[in-house]
Amino acid sequence: MKIENEFLIPFIGLKLGKHPFEFQINNKFFERFDYHEYENSDIKVDVVLDKKSTHLEISFKHKGTITVPCDLTTEIFDLPIKGKMNLIVKFGEEFNNDNEEMLILPHGEYQVDIAQYIYEMIVLSVPTKRVHPGVKDGTLQSVTLQKLNSLSVKSVKEDNKENDTDPRWDKLKQLLTDK
């Protein structure tokens, strides 16, 4: 993975306190990670780096839309997404990113790459089952949806179930009511 200058935050010259950053994410960002699940994307990411004397606290927040196919009808639609994540950056002997909430940078490091964290935060905020809003409220008319409705199982009348009971069970039910 090539390190992009756009997502490198140099923290060595910053004063103690909070420093806001803003990023606009589109499909070019996901192409860097070889991720081609979305037809289109328009996501705003707000990052606040809080520099402390011994560590850094980074807060990520995103909101936007991605264009994806519906899992039921394959119709393309805009799915709104949002999410947030926090990251603590500490300093140690060697680089370690095993923990998803803490990053350890070697002493002497002067910048932090946040591209991977933005990517993971956005991808994990997308629901696993993507359903077109028209399917949920019944306004979507498509050939696929009509075929699914025609093949759906029709409900069985409850009256038939009660008449088809085994007489042996009826005797056992009487024992419960004879108390």
Side-chain angles (χ1 to χ4, degrees):
M1 171 78 210
K2 185 178 129 184
I3 295 178
E4 298 294 326
N5 288 337
E6 181 181 358
F7 299 101
L8 285 176
I9 298 179
F11 55 83
I12 198 72
L14 298 177
K15 295 179 182 178
L16 295 180
K18 295 185 179 189
H19 305 277
F21 298 91
E22 186 177 300
F23 302 97
Q24 194 65 35
I25 305 296
N26 56 26
N27 273 14
K28 284 180 78 176
F29 175 78
F30 294 108
E31 289 171 4
R32 296 175 188 159
F33 293 93
D34 199 27
Y35 190 76
H36 306 284
E37 290 285 318
Y38 312 137
E39 300 286 326
N40 194 10
S41 57
D42 182 27
I43 303 163
K44 180 184 169 198
V45 178
D46 293 318
V47 178
V48 177
L49 183 140
D50 189 4
K51 185 175 181 183
K52 309 278 184 169
S53 59
T54 59
H55 66 281
L56 306 171
E57 294 176 4
I58 304 175
S59 300
F60 300 89
K61 202 181 276 189
H62 74 280
K63 186 175 185 176
T65 59
I66 57 171
T67 306
V68 292
C70 175
D71 288 338
L72 298 176
T73 64
T74 67
E75 296 285 327
I76 303 295
F77 73 102
D78 288 337
L79 178 69
I81 60 169
K82 65 179 181 177
K84 57 185 174 178
M85 182 180 87
N86 293 318
L87 176 69
I88 296 175
V89 180
K90 292 192 174 191
F91 300 97
E93 294 300 319
E94 60 184 34
F95 179 84
N96 185 349
N97 64 351
D98 292 341
N99 189 337
E100 60 194 37
E101 296 174 355
M102 186 183 334
L103 171 67
I104 298 176
L105 293 177
H107 293 290
E109 193 69 33
Y110 62 94
Q111 61 188 3
V112 61
D113 183 14
I114 60 169
Q116 181 70 32
Y117 295 100
I118 292 174
Y119 167 76
E120 290 175 4
M121 175 184 63
I122 292 172
V123 170
L124 291 174
S125 71
V126 177
T128 54
K129 187 171 183 179
R130 300 172 277 205
V131 181
H132 193 289
V135 173
K136 292 178 183 176
D137 62 16
T139 60
L140 179 67
Q141 299 297 325
S142 72
V143 175
T144 308
L145 198 55
Q146 290 171 357
K147 187 67 174 175
L148 281 171
N149 287 336
S150 70
L151 295 175
S152 68
V153 177
K154 306 297 182 212
S155 64
V156 180
K157 292 184 180 177
E158 294 295 325
D159 297 336
N160 291 341
K161 287 184 179 179
E162 290 179 16
N163 293 338
D164 294 339
T165 60
D166 190 349
R168 293 175 290 184
W169 288 110
D170 292 337
K171 288 288 185 185
L172 289 173
K173 287 181 185 175
Q174 282 181 344
L175 290 174
L176 289 174
T177 58
D178 287 343
K179 289 183 180 179

